[in-house]
Amino acid sequence: MLSDLPVLPPATPLLDAIDQGAVLRDLTPVQLRQLTAELRSYLLYSVGQSGGHFGAGLGVVELTVALHYIYNTPQDRIVWDVGHQTYPHKILTGRMRQMHSMRKAGGLAGFPKRSESEYDTFGVGHSSTSISAAMGMALAAKHQGIDRKVIAVIGDGAITGGMAFEALAHAGHERPNMLVILNDNQMSIGHNRGGLATYFAKIWASKTYIAMREGSKKVLEKIRPAWELAKRTEEHMKGMVAPGTMFEELGFHYIGPLDGHDLPGLIQTLENMKELEGPQFLHIRTMKGKGFAPAEADPVGYHAINKIEAKPKGPQLTAPPTAPKRLKYQDVFGRWLCDMAQQDERLIGITPAMCEGSGMVEFARRFKDRYYDVAIAEQHAITMAAGMACDGLKPVVAIYSTFLQRGYDQLIHDVALQNLDVTFAIDRAGLVGQDGPTHHGAFDLSYLRCIPNMVIGAPSDENECRQMLYTAYQHPGPAAIRYPRGTGPGAIIANEMTAMEIGKAVEVRRGERVAILCFGTLLSEAMIAAQELNATVVDMRWVKPLDEEKILEIAREHELVVTVEENTVAGGAGSAVNECLAREEFVKGLLNIGLSDQFVEHGNHEEQLEWSALDSNGIVRRVHATLEERPTARATAFNIHDVLELNHK
């Protein structure tokens, strides 16, 4: 229960004195144990106040302390993957008093960020990048003659990504001096075999064992049969108690699995491994949510939490009225998926490790034989779907917009080029709030629109989302429906599924002089703006194919055509409208409103819309400015600085 979290800051005398690794490295073993207790207590308190990622950080408290104790950070490089677990790292590296600002506008980022601290060695948002980045740093140190240690910390989920294995294979070939730490908190690599595994892990990490191993190698290499026998014996002994044979075969010296909450054991092992040459691999076992019983029992539910809201003081005579609960778009998709699967046995649901986030929990329960979670492997998910479509199935790939970027080549070559029947349900399209620029779905309309054979839909509300998903599913080729994070305007969702006319827009308001062509869920903001502007509003619905007939009709009847989209202006839906009018040699006033050519920082969604002039007030201001400054032909995209300047006027 979140109510079990502390609401007052705990006493943290040791932690208060830690603002850099050098201070931490002066602590005694007893003080280090106290520090881990204080760090875990403060983490429980601070995340309760700010909200954010929770369970992963609690699981790496001991590891974080051990790393900063053993290594000379920030001179030595620690690369975190994905970054959910870096809250303890941020607390220990001078940002303790800023933790209340986590994921808020102007505050700390929820992930490592190079511009935030010299201790954040690599910006992280997507998973499976740490080994490649760390290897690059290790090779850079080698080329520059710098004595520097490099450590990549990767989770058992992130290591399922193909990029991680590409890096492991290359590291085995190049043999850089680097350490990969596998933080295994879901038992997905191998089961701990008890005390024997820990005992052998300590032996394998000891200086005595390393010296004997290397010395024996030099002697026995001259006697090939004896050397091969010794090598096989060592591998078989390790294979009996640890899942490290694969990593050894890739060229790493494997140690583990170790108890990741045993601070003295971690320190001893890291100290022993610190001076080893070549690629090293340390496998530790941790518990997600360690130290907070509800999170230990439900690591998925406590992956991230909202901040604890203060309860109103004094007696509450009557309960405040509550608005009807609105469905999140991911749940609209999840219900549609189950309903569609009930009707069509050919439907297959595929996700790259986003079951909960994509609303597929019920589908996975009811249709488990038709549900595939491929882990963090977006490229594989898309090509597997293509293979299924080749042989008569109808796959639906549920994927976040920002993660679809990772499977772009497969989308083009394996799906679109072959015109295969794959439906893409693109979640988290547009601005996503506190997760910030690494997770915004800012580019999908631009990168999808240029692909032949693609159909692209952008629904304006929950019911339109359901009907568009059905329409895309019925289309006999690749089709993508993009929808945002969070809830919609509260539209009534029809149970019946009805195919829409692809490429057909709908005029929802008639006005004069100005026409707003809206792509997606900003329609409600556009309608508010249109009331003040007395503008015509068209729900465009489809980005590809466009309703060019409607666009030309609107252009003939209005002085200024405004396009609105929660996507980058460059190459987006507005650009498609511009191209349509240019082909017909229309010379009209044009204003493209969308995301400008810069990354939007973290904050809440309402703030991000305001910064980008995508809220109703921003739309009104920009229309007025365009009409006043250049009442004839104009196509522009304001940036955030322009918007702030307009705000002051």
Side-chain angles (χ1 to χ4, degrees), residues 386-413:
M388 290 178 168
C390 284
D391 281 355
L393 297 179
K394 288 181 68 68
V396 177
V397 179
I399 190 167
Y400 289 10
S401 172
T402 186
F403 299 148
L404 182 57
Q405 296 163 189
R406 311 186 89 184
Y408 192 54
D409 179 71
Q410 288 69 27
L411 180 64
I412 295 173
H413 285 266

CSV table of all heavy atoms in Angstrom, one decimal, residues 386-413:
chain,number,residue,atom,x,y,z
A,386,ALA,N,5.3,-10.3,-39.9
A,386,ALA,CA,5.3,-10.4,-41.4
A,386,ALA,C,5.3,-11.8,-41.8
A,386,ALA,O,4.5,-12.2,-42.7
A,386,ALA,CB,6.6,-9.7,-41.9
A,387,GLY,N,6.0,-12.7,-41.1
A,387,GLY,CA,6.0,-14.1,-41.4
A,387,GLY,C,4.6,-14.7,-41.2
A,387,GLY,O,4.2,-15.5,-42.0
A,388,MET,N,4.0,-14.3,-40.1
A,388,MET,CA,2.6,-14.8,-39.8
A,388,MET,C,1.7,-14.4,-40.9
A,388,MET,O,0.8,-15.2,-41.4
A,388,MET,CB,2.2,-14.3,-38.5
A,388,MET,CG,2.9,-15.0,-37.3
A,388,MET,SD,2.3,-14.3,-35.7
A,388,MET,CE,3.0,-15.4,-34.6
A,389,ALA,N,1.8,-13.1,-41.4
A,389,ALA,CA,0.9,-12.6,-42.4
A,389,ALA,C,1.1,-13.3,-43.7
A,389,ALA,O,0.1,-13.5,-44.5
A,389,ALA,CB,1.1,-11.1,-42.6
A,390,CYS,N,2.3,-13.8,-44.0
A,390,CYS,CA,2.6,-14.5,-45.2
A,390,CYS,C,1.8,-15.8,-45.3
A,390,CYS,O,1.4,-16.3,-46.4
A,390,CYS,CB,4.1,-14.9,-45.3
A,390,CYS,SG,5.1,-13.5,-45.8
A,391,ASP,N,1.5,-16.4,-44.1
A,391,ASP,CA,0.8,-17.7,-44.1
A,391,ASP,C,-0.5,-17.7,-43.5
A,391,ASP,O,-1.0,-18.6,-42.8
A,391,ASP,CB,1.7,-18.7,-43.4
A,391,ASP,CG,2.8,-19.2,-44.3
A,391,ASP,OD1,2.8,-18.9,-45.5
A,391,ASP,OD2,3.7,-20.0,-43.8
A,392,GLY,N,-1.3,-16.6,-43.7
A,392,GLY,CA,-2.7,-16.6,-43.4
A,392,GLY,C,-3.2,-16.1,-42.1
A,392,GLY,O,-4.4,-16.0,-41.9
A,393,LEU,N,-2.3,-15.7,-41.2
A,393,LEU,CA,-2.7,-15.1,-39.9
A,393,LEU,C,-2.9,-13.6,-40.1
A,393,LEU,O,-2.4,-13.0,-41.0
A,393,LEU,CB,-1.8,-15.5,-38.8
A,393,LEU,CG,-1.7,-17.0,-38.5
A,393,LEU,CD1,-0.6,-17.2,-37.4
A,393,LEU,CD2,-3.0,-17.6,-38.1
A,394,LYS,N,-3.5,-13.0,-39.1
A,394,LYS,CA,-3.7,-11.5,-39.1
A,394,LYS,C,-3.1,-10.9,-37.8
A,394,LYS,O,-3.8,-10.7,-36.8
A,394,LYS,CB,-5.2,-11.2,-39.2
A,394,LYS,CG,-5.7,-11.4,-40.6
A,394,LYS,CD,-7.2,-11.1,-40.8
A,394,LYS,CE,-7.4,-9.6,-40.7
A,394,LYS,NZ,-6.9,-8.8,-41.9
A,395,PRO,N,-1.8,-10.7,-37.8
A,395,PRO,CA,-1.2,-10.2,-36.6
A,395,PRO,C,-1.5,-8.7,-36.3
A,395,PRO,O,-1.6,-7.9,-37.2
A,395,PRO,CB,0.3,-10.4,-36.9
A,395,PRO,CG,0.4,-10.4,-38.4
A,395,PRO,CD,-0.9,-10.9,-38.9
A,396,VAL,N,-1.6,-8.4,-35.0
A,396,VAL,CA,-1.7,-7.0,-34.5
A,396,VAL,C,-0.5,-6.8,-33.6
A,396,VAL,O,-0.4,-7.5,-32.6
A,396,VAL,CB,-3.1,-6.9,-33.8
A,396,VAL,CG1,-3.1,-5.4,-33.2
A,396,VAL,CG2,-4.3,-7.1,-34.7
A,397,VAL,N,0.3,-5.8,-34.0
A,397,VAL,CA,1.5,-5.5,-33.2
A,397,VAL,C,1.2,-4.2,-32.4
A,397,VAL,O,0.9,-3.2,-32.9
A,397,VAL,CB,2.7,-5.2,-34.2
A,397,VAL,CG1,3.9,-4.8,-33.3
A,397,VAL,CG2,3.0,-6.4,-35.0
A,398,ALA,N,1.1,-4.4,-31.1
A,398,ALA,CA,0.9,-3.3,-30.1
A,398,ALA,C,2.3,-2.8,-29.7
A,398,ALA,O,3.1,-3.5,-29.1
A,398,ALA,CB,0.1,-3.8,-28.9
A,399,ILE,N,2.6,-1.5,-30.0
A,399,ILE,CA,3.9,-1.0,-29.8
A,399,ILE,C,3.8,0.5,-29.6
A,399,ILE,O,3.0,1.2,-30.1
A,399,ILE,CB,4.8,-1.3,-31.1
A,399,ILE,CG1,6.2,-1.0,-30.8
A,399,ILE,CG2,4.2,-0.6,-32.3
A,399,ILE,CD1,7.2,-1.6,-31.9
A,400,TYR,N,4.7,1.0,-28.7
A,400,TYR,CA,4.8,2.4,-28.4
A,400,TYR,C,5.4,3.1,-29.7
A,400,TYR,O,6.3,2.5,-30.3
A,400,TYR,CB,5.7,2.7,-27.2
A,400,TYR,CG,5.1,2.4,-25.9
A,400,TYR,CD1,3.9,1.6,-25.8
A,400,TYR,CD2,5.7,2.8,-24.7
A,400,TYR,CE1,3.4,1.3,-24.5
A,400,TYR,CE2,5.2,2.5,-23.5
A,400,TYR,CZ,4.0,1.7,-23.4
A,400,TYR,OH,3.5,1.4,-22.1
A,401,SER,N,5.0,4.3,-29.9
A,401,SER,CA,5.5,5.1,-31.1
A,401,SER,C,7.0,5.2,-31.0
A,401,SER,O,7.7,4.9,-32.0
A,401,SER,CB,4.9,6.5,-31.1
A,401,SER,OG,5.6,7.3,-32.0
A,402,THR,N,7.6,5.5,-29.8
A,402,THR,CA,9.0,5.7,-29.7
A,402,THR,C,9.8,4.4,-29.9
A,402,THR,O,10.9,4.4,-30.3
A,402,THR,CB,9.4,6.3,-28.3
A,402,THR,OG1,10.8,6.6,-28.3
A,402,THR,CG2,9.0,5.4,-27.2
A,403,PHE,N,9.1,3.2,-29.6
A,403,PHE,CA,9.8,1.9,-29.8
A,403,PHE,C,9.6,1.4,-31.2
A,403,PHE,O,10.5,0.6,-31.7
A,403,PHE,CB,9.2,0.9,-28.8
A,403,PHE,CG,9.4,1.3,-27.4
A,403,PHE,CD1,8.5,0.9,-26.4
A,403,PHE,CD2,10.5,2.0,-27.0
A,403,PHE,CE1,8.7,1.2,-25.1
A,403,PHE,CE2,10.7,2.3,-25.7
A,403,PHE,CZ,9.8,2.0,-24.7
A,404,LEU,N,8.6,1.9,-31.9
A,404,LEU,CA,8.5,1.5,-33.3
A,404,LEU,C,9.7,2.0,-34.1
A,404,LEU,O,10.0,1.4,-35.2
A,404,LEU,CB,7.2,2.0,-33.9
A,404,LEU,CG,6.8,1.6,-35.4
A,404,LEU,CD1,6.8,0.1,-35.6
A,404,LEU,CD2,5.5,2.2,-35.8
A,405,GLN,N,10.2,3.1,-33.7
A,405,GLN,CA,11.4,3.6,-34.4
A,405,GLN,C,12.5,2.6,-34.5
A,405,GLN,O,13.3,2.6,-35.5
A,405,GLN,CB,12.0,4.8,-33.6
A,405,GLN,CG,11.0,6.0,-33.6
A,405,GLN,CD,11.3,7.0,-32.6
A,405,GLN,OE1,10.5,7.9,-32.3
A,405,GLN,NE2,12.5,6.9,-31.9
A,406,ARG,N,12.6,1.7,-33.5
A,406,ARG,CA,13.7,0.7,-33.5
A,406,ARG,C,13.5,-0.4,-34.5
A,406,ARG,O,14.4,-1.2,-34.8
A,406,ARG,CB,13.8,0.1,-32.1
A,406,ARG,CG,13.8,1.1,-31.0
A,406,ARG,CD,14.1,0.5,-29.6
A,406,ARG,NE,15.5,0.4,-29.4
A,406,ARG,CZ,16.0,-0.1,-28.3
A,406,ARG,NH1,15.2,-0.7,-27.4
A,406,ARG,NH2,17.3,-0.1,-28.1
A,407,GLY,N,12.3,-0.6,-35.0
A,407,GLY,CA,12.0,-1.6,-36.0
A,407,GLY,C,11.7,-1.0,-37.4
A,407,GLY,O,10.9,-1.6,-38.2
A,408,TYR,N,12.2,0.2,-37.7
A,408,TYR,CA,11.8,0.9,-38.9
A,408,TYR,C,12.2,0.1,-40.2
A,408,TYR,O,11.5,0.1,-41.1
A,408,TYR,CB,12.5,2.3,-38.9
A,408,TYR,CG,11.9,3.2,-39.9
A,408,TYR,CD1,10.6,3.5,-40.0
A,408,TYR,CD2,12.8,3.9,-40.8
A,408,TYR,CE1,10.1,4.3,-41.0
A,408,TYR,CE2,12.3,4.8,-41.7
A,408,TYR,CZ,11.0,5.0,-41.8
A,408,TYR,OH,10.5,5.8,-42.8
A,409,ASP,N,13.4,-0.4,-40.2
A,409,ASP,CA,13.9,-1.2,-41.4
A,409,ASP,C,12.9,-2.3,-41.6
A,409,ASP,O,12.6,-2.6,-42.8
A,409,ASP,CB,15.3,-1.7,-41.2
A,409,ASP,CG,15.8,-2.4,-42.4
A,409,ASP,OD1,16.0,-1.8,-43.4
A,409,ASP,OD2,15.9,-3.7,-42.2
A,410,GLN,N,12.6,-3.1,-40.6
A,410,GLN,CA,11.7,-4.2,-40.7
A,410,GLN,C,10.3,-3.8,-41.2
A,410,GLN,O,9.6,-4.4,-42.0
A,410,GLN,CB,11.5,-5.0,-39.4
A,410,GLN,CG,12.8,-5.7,-39.0
A,410,GLN,CD,14.0,-4.8,-38.7
A,410,GLN,OE1,13.8,-3.7,-38.2
A,410,GLN,NE2,15.2,-5.3,-38.9
A,411,LEU,N,9.8,-2.6,-40.7
A,411,LEU,CA,8.5,-2.1,-41.1
A,411,LEU,C,8.5,-1.8,-42.6
A,411,LEU,O,7.6,-2.1,-43.3
A,411,LEU,CB,8.3,-0.8,-40.4
A,411,LEU,CG,7.0,0.0,-40.7
A,411,LEU,CD1,5.8,-0.9,-40.3
A,411,LEU,CD2,6.9,1.3,-39.9
A,412,ILE,N,9.6,-1.2,-43.1
A,412,ILE,CA,9.7,-0.9,-44.6
A,412,ILE,C,9.9,-2.2,-45.4
A,412,ILE,O,9.1,-2.5,-46.3
A,412,ILE,CB,10.9,0.0,-44.8
A,412,ILE,CG1,10.6,1.4,-44.2
A,412,ILE,CG2,11.1,0.2,-46.4
A,412,ILE,CD1,11.8,2.4,-44.3
A,413,HIS,N,11.0,-3.0,-45.1
A,413,HIS,CA,11.4,-4.1,-46.0
A,413,HIS,C,10.6,-5.3,-45.8
A,413,HIS,O,10.3,-6.0,-46.8
A,413,HIS,CB,12.9,-4.4,-45.8
A,413,HIS,CG,13.8,-3.3,-46.4
A,413,HIS,ND1,14.3,-3.5,-47.7
A,413,HIS,CD2,14.2,-2.1,-46.0
A,413,HIS,CE1,15.0,-2.4,-48.0
A,413,HIS,NE2,15.0,-1.6,-47.0
